[in-house]
Amino acid sequence: MSRSLPQNWIDGTLHSLNVVRDLGWAGAIVHPSLSVFRQKPSAKSRKTKNLQWRFLPEKADDPRLFKGRTNRGQGKRLSIEGTCGTTDPWEAVTIAVAASQERWRTLHQQLEQLQREQSQALSVYWERWYAHAEQQPRSNRNRWLSDKRNLWNGAIGIGLQPWATTKTIERISSNDFLEFLLIVRKHCAAQGLSVDDTRRQYKVLIRHLFMEARADFPALTCPEFPVIKKHARKSGTSDQPSEDA
């Protein structure tokens, strides 16, 4: 590596050093944008003199969710970053190369894990079950299919829940159902819908999907749907707890 630093880095007007261009690194790196930089002070973070590292991979190669974009894929792509733990640029570059490579490996491992999870997610069995259901003769077929699509894709549909699309069906838990049923209850209260009837429809569909998945997981059982407690006010008495099944 070259042992001379750019003058504008020395005088403080340059805040980022490209690992290859400015620091002369000749070995393998994760991406040509890999740089070490001075962290800018802000009202939300404590200023540190230690250098940081960052790089921004090509979108096609980015293993992160939404390719690193914020706001569920609608915002700006963020760099992958870390700390060098030193103020010396020559020490920082060696740390940056090693740390960025390790982060890159970890991100790809996480991506592979996510892909495995998604290949066995509830959403896979929804697609399979619905394809079968479309072929079955029944009265009011179009209305019946529309109702099922709304349970999956509607405003609070099962398909919008992270546990239905990013978690293998074997790892779905009663707690996942609890959080979902609370969403259902809140939605029904706001829309003036029957909580019991709506919740029953969701439960029936979920059980169908778990049964569909048994072709791949013979021992699979649907987790218990938790009982949600509510308080019913009785005339002349204080609130009494009751079960909202």
Side-chain angles (χ1 to χ4, degrees), residues 184-197:
V184 172
R185 187 169 70 177
K186 182 177 180 180
H187 175 78
C188 288
Q191 299 296 320
L193 303 174
S194 168
V195 177
D196 291 339
D197 184 57

Side-chain angles (χ1 to χ4, degrees), residues 144-207:
W144 188 90
L145 291 173
S146 176
D147 288 344
K148 298 302 177 284
R149 289 195 303 270
N150 187 60
L151 291 173
W152 184 263
N153 295 317
I156 56 168
I158 299 168
L160 299 180
Q161 313 310 314
W163 49 265
T165 57
T166 61
K167 179 187 287 191
T168 181
I169 194 169
E170 290 183 301
R171 295 203 305 109
I172 295 175
S173 67
S174 293
N175 190 60
D176 292 321
F177 290 153
L178 173 61
E179 293 177 355
F180 177 59
L181 294 178
L182 289 172
I183 292 172
V184 172
R185 187 169 70 177
K186 182 177 180 180
H187 175 78
C188 288
Q191 299 296 320
L193 303 174
S194 168
V195 177
D196 291 339
D197 184 57
T198 303
R199 190 161 47 220
R200 180 188 60 78
Q201 294 179 58
Y202 280 115
K203 289 179 179 180
V204 169
L205 178 56
I206 290 171
R207 290 191 181 103

Side-chain angles (χ1 to χ4, degrees), residues 26-41:
I29 59 173
V30 291
H31 192 267
S33 64
L34 180 62
S35 302
V36 297
F37 65 98
R38 296 185 177 107
Q39 185 181 47
K40 295 181 180 179

Side-chain angles (χ1 to χ4, degrees), residues 35-237:
S35 302
V36 297
F37 65 98
R38 296 185 177 107
Q39 185 181 47
K40 295 181 180 179
S42 71
K44 295 183 179 180
S45 65
R46 182 168 57 91
K47 181 178 180 180
T48 175
K49 293 183 179 180
N50 287 337
L51 299 177
Q52 316 291 306
W53 59 263
R54 67 184 169 203
F55 71 97
L56 183 62
E58 306 302 324
K59 285 190 289 186
D61 300 328
D62 198 329
R64 295 174 295 173
L65 190 62
F66 304 120
K67 302 299 182 181
R69 288 191 181 277
T70 60
N71 194 25
R72 297 186 62 82
Q74 301 302 309
K76 177 183 177 181
R77 288 186 71 218
L78 300 179
S79 296
I80 298 170
E81 300 184 355
T83 182
C84 299
T86 179
T87 60
D88 185 333
W90 307 114
E91 293 179 0
V93 67
T94 302
I95 295 169
V97 169
S100 61
Q101 289 172 340
E102 179 59 29
R103 179 75 64 80
W104 194 235
R105 283 192 294 269
T106 299
L107 287 171
H108 276 282
Q109 290 170 355
Q110 292 172 348
L111 175 62
E112 291 171 359
Q113 177 65 24
L114 177 61
Q115 290 172 336
R116 285 193 295 270
E117 296 263 335
Q118 290 176 332
S119 70
Q120 298 174 337
L122 193 68
S123 55
V124 172
Y125 300 103
W126 155 256
E127 296 290 346
R128 187 185 298 181
W129 177 85
Y130 188 80
H132 295 161
E134 282 186 304
Q135 306 306 315
Q136 302 300 316
R138 52 175 50 90
S139 60
N140 298 320
R141 175 179 176 276
N142 290 340
R143 173 63 182 274
W144 188 90
L145 291 173
S146 176
D147 288 344
K148 298 302 177 284
R149 289 195 303 270
N150 187 60
L151 291 173
W152 184 263
N153 295 317
I156 56 168
I158 299 168
L160 299 180
Q161 313 310 314
W163 49 265
T165 57
T166 61
K167 179 187 287 191
T168 181
I169 194 169
E170 290 183 301
R171 295 203 305 109
I172 295 175
S173 67
S174 293
N175 190 60
D176 292 321
F177 290 153
L178 173 61
E179 293 177 355
F180 177 59
L181 294 178
L182 289 172
I183 292 172
V184 172
R185 187 169 70 177
K186 182 177 180 180
H187 175 78
C188 288
Q191 299 296 320
L193 303 174
S194 168
V195 177
D196 291 339
D197 184 57
T198 303
R199 190 161 47 220
R200 180 188 60 78
Q201 294 179 58
Y202 280 115
K203 289 179 179 180
V204 169
L205 178 56
I206 290 171
R207 290 191 181 103
H208 278 310
L209 303 186
F210 269 78
M211 291 176 64
E212 182 71 34
R214 286 180 185 169
D216 296 335
F217 304 97
L220 182 69
T221 59
C222 184
E224 292 293 327
F225 291 102
V227 172
I228 300 176
K229 298 292 184 75
K230 68 179 181 180
H231 287 79
R233 182 175 293 277
K234 297 182 179 180
S235 178
T237 67

